Amino acid sequence: MNRLANEASPYLRQHADNPVDWYPWGPEALERASREDRPILLSIGYSACHWCHVMERESFENEGIARLMNEYFVNIKVDREERPDLDAIYMTAVQAMTGHGGWPMTVFLTPDGTPFYGGTYFPPEDRPGIPSFPRVLAAVAASYRDRRGDIENTASQVQQLYDNARGEARPTGQVDAALLQRAFRSMESRYDHDHGGFDGAPKFPQSMSFDFMLRHWRRTGSAAALDMAHDSFRAMARGGIHDQIGGGFHRYTVDAKWLVPHFEKMLYDNALLARLGAHLWQATGDEEARRVAEDTVDWVAREMTSPEGGFYSALDADSEGEEGKFYLWDESEIDELLGADAPIAKAHWGVTAGGNFEGKNILHVAEDPALVAARRGLALEEVRVVIARSRETLYAARAKRVWPARDDKVIASWNGLMLRAIAECSRAFGRDDYRELALRNGALLFREMVREGSDGLRVLRTRAGGASTIAGYLEDHAALGLGALSLYELTFDRLWLDRARALADSVITWFWDHTTRALFDTASDHEKLVTRPREPTDTATPSGNSLAVELLLRMAEIFDDGSMRERATTVLASLAAPMSQYGAAFGHLLGAADLVVNGALQVAIVGDQHSAGFAELAREVGDHYLPSLVLAGGPVDSSAGIALLADRPTLDGHPTAYVCRNYTCQLPVTEPRGLREQLEEG
């Protein structure tokens, strides 16, 4: 067993019995590289990554390859989910060097941590266009020994790339309606009108872009924007990317039709998709969107929640050494398990003797229940009952298989995203069980992963093995702040609002740089690295910048805080040009820009939040799709400091709602019907 055996990360422990002399990232490895003047071989991946497993089996478990690694390099293994700062820094270099990126990421560094060569997956033997890993190891070692000047020149160029990215943030355009329109057009130009989503294969969910399209429809009335968001979600929900039996979504599909997934399931994807489903239901009343969103939350509650309430990170793509084996079905197996129900189930899920993936079947919605019923002369409700019964039977049978490995790390930012999604689903669908799930999670996060000191709240990145140790990043503080705000909007308990405000203050204290007037991903007291990362784009998850900007804007509205508003708009202005040109790379940040351009819809509900009348008004708000909603509520005597609640009395002692813009309100109402009319106008 090597040094990784004692690490908390399941991904690092997976490599504990490799013959490679692995180090975790830290002073011991870096000091050895400097002392012995050795290059560093940095390998970055994550536990659910299929090709990470492949490279481990082919190379890191190979005695001969491990011998080369140990002889010439100081070898460091990093879990990108624990250390997104290292992942971002070195992915920037790999993309600059090769034009692409991905995982596993393989980077060679000078002893001071500056990259000079890198790539992603390397096979154990030469393949067309891809050198073997042993060939790469030998060539890099020889270059470091014999052509040090070339190494230093490349490292210097990469360092210059980093230095250029740390300059002062300056306005690049106007944050206005024209920007939002250009961003929408940039997304529309890439839209796949045949299958939904963007571009061709492989195809990723890109939930944040569709959420922005839904906003765009609400602002402009664009039927095309609504159709693109709605049709794409429906295509994903009916495709193989959606686990038709257990709920939840896989990471992406290798084809353009959403059929053949890369089978890992990530918490963050499912958080973003569940929230999008809730928004689509609010906007359209589509029961399928609601069902899929609820199935996703139910999957999290059933399979991805720790006894203490934390949400686990991921399920692996592989089981028993085969990708997707857990999720695939033979037709004969379906027939045997379902008996008389099998013909309807097979028609619905597209099951055939030949299958659609290596002789087996990935279940997808080939015929919706209405079509199955029409073709067989059956009542629609009868078909739905059969499908529901079949799901339960197949789930029970699948549960007896060897399960994919689960990464049980609790990551603060991903938990914040899922906490927000579940709280919003609870508000939209009136689900008290989701309310309890969200509250348990929030309680755990603030009990175990938030530390309070004289300098405010600090979030810890991960919790694994009962311990929370790694310092949190911008995304962790901001996502957890938005999660706390969502709990306030759900419960109107002032505790959660105060926690959200405290985390917004921490964002400014630790991540705002007064010289560059920008937000950085690492705190000002973070470990010194070759650069201080500042990644503004929304990739698989919202960037720390976009989450922080939204949190600051929402706090600014609730507390009328001009300083928070000014910082948020400064960040937006610095990214105006790339946002308008590359909309899909800024899906979440565009939502924050929409809040600035169109202004917040401020809703205040005053009165006893435990009364029936208050609950009815809050429920009415939850029924509506209100993309710029900023919501506050509670007793009049608990409104201290909350600008939205200031001077908002109840009418005759009844719970009362105020619908406002820029703190100027329409007439107060005490009945859901009156509130509904004002919300529909706003």
Side-chain angles (χ1 to χ4, degrees):
M1 303 293 281
N2 57 48
R3 297 171 188 82
L4 302 184
N6 297 320
E7 291 297 303
S9 162
Y11 174 68
L12 297 186
R13 292 200 306 272
Q14 287 171 5
H15 296 78
D17 59 356
N18 295 166
V20 177
D21 186 20
W22 288 120
Y23 288 81
W25 181 274
E28 183 183 3
L30 300 177
E31 288 169 5
R32 181 187 173 194
S34 178
R35 183 176 65 253
E36 299 181 7
D37 190 24
R38 286 194 186 208
I40 294 167
L41 191 165
L42 176 64
S43 176
I44 301 180
Y46 59 102
S47 68
C49 167
H50 171 70
W51 285 102
C52 298
H53 299 326
V54 171
M55 192 164 179
E56 180 189 14
R57 289 194 299 268
E58 292 178 341
S59 294
F60 302 149
E61 294 178 355
N62 182 295
E63 294 281 353
I65 293 176
R67 193 176 303 114
L68 286 173
M69 295 172 66
N70 297 337
E71 181 177 355
Y72 295 115
F73 303 95
V74 173
N75 303 290
I76 300 178
K77 174 60 75 171
V78 165
D79 181 344
R80 66 176 294 261
E81 296 167 355
E82 283 191 332
R83 296 298 303 263
D85 54 337
L86 298 173
D87 184 59
I89 288 170
Y90 294 114
M91 184 62 76
T92 297
V94 168
Q95 289 174 330
M97 293 173 184
T98 67
H100 66 275
W103 301 276
M105 179 163 51
T106 308
V107 199
F108 296 90
L109 320 177
T110 61
D112 68 356
T114 307
F116 62 87
Y117 182 75
T120 54
Y121 163 78
F122 290 104
E125 299 176 348
D126 288 338
R127 296 180 187 174
I130 308 178
S132 70
F133 194 42
R135 183 185 296 275
V136 170
L137 295 172
V140 171
S143 294
Y144 192 82
R145 182 185 64 243
D146 301 329
R147 294 186 294 278
R148 185 68 63 88
D150 293 342
I151 298 292
E152 292 173 351
N153 182 55
T154 300
S156 177
Q157 292 176 15
V158 174
Q159 188 61 59
Q160 187 62 49
L161 176 71
Y162 290 145
D163 292 344
N164 292 341
R166 289 189 58 183
E168 181 180 353
R170 299 177 182 276
T172 59
Q174 295 295 318
V175 180
D176 55 18
L179 179 153
L180 300 179
Q181 182 66 28
R182 290 194 298 271
F184 169 72
R185 294 299 181 200
S186 74
M187 293 181 188
E188 186 180 37
S189 68
R190 296 176 49 208
Y191 183 71
D192 181 349
H193 290 275
D194 293 324
H195 308 296
F198 297 105
D199 303 325
K203 188 162 282 184
F204 292 82
Q206 300 209 29
S207 312
M208 293 171 282
S209 294
F210 294 121
D211 199 69
F212 171 70
M213 286 186 162
L214 200 57
R215 289 172 178 269
H216 190 74
W217 160 75
R218 187 71 169 82
R219 302 301 188 195
T220 67
S222 168
L226 176 61
D227 288 345
M228 283 187 276
H230 198 188
D231 292 350
S232 295
F233 186 83
R234 183 183 293 119
M236 287 186 281
R238 298 181 179 186
I241 192 172
H242 179 213
D243 181 358
Q244 303 293 331
I245 300 304
F249 289 83
H250 300 293
R251 180 69 193 93
Y252 65 91
T253 58
V254 300
D255 65 313
K257 299 180 180 180
W258 304 108
L259 176 62
V260 181
H262 206 36
F263 286 92
E264 68 262 37
K265 286 182 173 181
M266 311 302 296
L267 185 70
Y268 56 77
D269 283 321
N270 285 282
L272 298 170
L273 284 161
R275 187 165 178 253
L276 176 60
H279 292 173
L280 282 166
W281 180 82
Q282 290 172 320
T284 68
D286 180 5
E287 288 297 330
E288 183 177 10
R290 172 173 179 162
R291 176 182 60 78
V292 171
E294 289 182 319
D295 283 350
T296 302
V297 175
D298 292 344
W299 165 71
V300 171
R302 185 177 59 248
E303 298 182 15
M304 300 295 287
T305 303
S306 75
E308 53 188 359
F311 301 139
Y312 298 136
S313 298
L315 288 180
D316 207 328
D318 299 8
S319 57
E320 299 183 82
E322 295 182 26
E323 185 181 10
K325 183 174 182 178
F326 183 73
Y327 300 99
L328 302 175
W329 301 89
D330 291 319
E331 183 188 38
S332 59
E333 190 178 12
I334 298 286
D335 288 333
E336 181 179 350
L337 288 167
L338 300 184
D341 289 343
I344 289 176
K346 289 194 297 183
H348 176 61
W349 285 313
V351 175
T352 64
N356 52 28
F357 179 72
E358 298 179 355
K360 295 183 180 294
N361 290 276
I362 299 169
L363 303 190
H364 65 291
V365 179
E367 295 182 5
D368 66 32
L371 182 58
V372 174
R375 287 185 172 177
R376 286 158 180 77
L378 301 171
L380 176 57
E381 188 56 33
E382 180 182 355
V383 170
R384 286 176 171 161
V385 167
V386 169
I387 291 170
R389 186 165 61 226
S390 298
R391 285 187 78 197
E392 292 179 2
T393 300
L394 295 182
Y395 184 87
R398 195 176 76 177
K400 297 175 183 177
R401 298 175 177 176
V402 176
W403 282 68
R406 182 172 61 194
D407 188 324
D408 60 4
K409 290 195 311 294
V410 175
I411 297 176
S413 63
W414 299 6
N415 270 247
L417 295 177
M418 185 56 78
L419 170 59
R420 187 181 192 186
I422 294 172
E424 290 195 18
C425 285
S426 178
R427 280 204 316 113
F429 306 145
R431 292 283 298 263
D432 289 340
D433 54 336
Y434 292 175
R435 175 190 175 103
E436 294 307 312
L437 180 64
L439 285 168
R440 282 185 65 226
N441 179 253
L444 168 79
L445 296 175
F446 278 88
R447 183 177 69 248
E448 302 293 346
M449 299 183 69
V450 178
R451 298 289 179 263
E452 184 171 6
S454 59
D455 49 11
L457 299 187
R458 301 294 295 270
V459 178
L460 298 172
R461 171 67 176 176
T462 62
R463 179 171 175 78
S468 304
T469 55
I470 298 174
Y473 301 92
L474 176 61
E475 66 181 77
D476 298 303
H477 289 74
L480 192 49
L482 289 168
L485 179 58
S486 72
L487 282 177
Y488 170 70
E489 294 170 336
L490 178 63
T491 65
F492 300 99
D493 182 342
R494 179 68 186 261
L495 169 69
W496 296 111
L497 179 59
D498 290 342
R499 285 172 165 174
R501 174 63 187 264
L503 285 172
D505 290 337
S506 293
V507 162
I508 294 171
T509 299
W510 296 106
F511 299 94
W512 176 261
D513 183 80
H514 294 277
T515 302
T516 59
R517 293 189 57 74
L519 287 163
F520 284 85
D521 295 334
T522 55
S524 55
D525 62 348
H526 190 71
E527 166 194 2
K528 183 174 175 56
L529 302 171
V530 292
T531 189
R532 189 180 181 192
R534 184 174 75 196
E535 176 53 66
T537 58
D538 299 315
T539 52
T541 58
S543 71
N545 263 256
S546 66
L547 290 166
V549 166
E550 184 188 5
L551 177 63
L552 294 177
L553 287 173
R554 291 186 177 278
M555 290 297 101
E557 291 293 328
I558 293 173
F559 294 101
D560 196 15
D561 188 314
S563 176
M564 287 190 175
R565 186 177 292 111
E566 187 270 337
R567 284 181 169 86
T569 53
T570 295
V571 174
L572 287 170
S574 73
L575 296 168
M579 272 197 290
S580 67
Q581 188 173 359
Y582 307 106
F586 296 94
H588 193 90
L589 192 63
L590 283 164
D594 171 87
L595 185 60
V596 169
V597 171
N598 293 294
L601 180 67
Q602 302 164 332
V603 177
I605 307 175
V606 290
D608 179 5
Q609 70 262 45
H610 303 295
S611 67
F614 191 103
E616 289 174 357
L617 293 172
R619 184 78 188 87
E620 185 61 47
V621 177
D623 284 342
H624 294 266
Y625 175 61
L626 305 167
S628 63
L629 174 68
V630 176
L631 179 63
V636 174
D637 60 8
S638 71
S639 64
I642 303 178
L644 284 189
L645 299 180
D647 301 319
R648 306 277 190 264
T650 60
L651 294 183
D652 299 324
H654 298 295
T656 304
Y658 293 82
V659 177
C660 320
R661 283 193 177 276
N662 198 27
Y663 309 101
T664 300
C665 304
Q666 301 183 49
L667 292 175
V669 295
T670 59
E671 297 294 332
R673 180 176 178 180
L675 178 57
R676 182 183 314 126
E677 292 172 354
Q678 293 187 5
L679 293 174
E680 289 173 351
E681 291 173 6

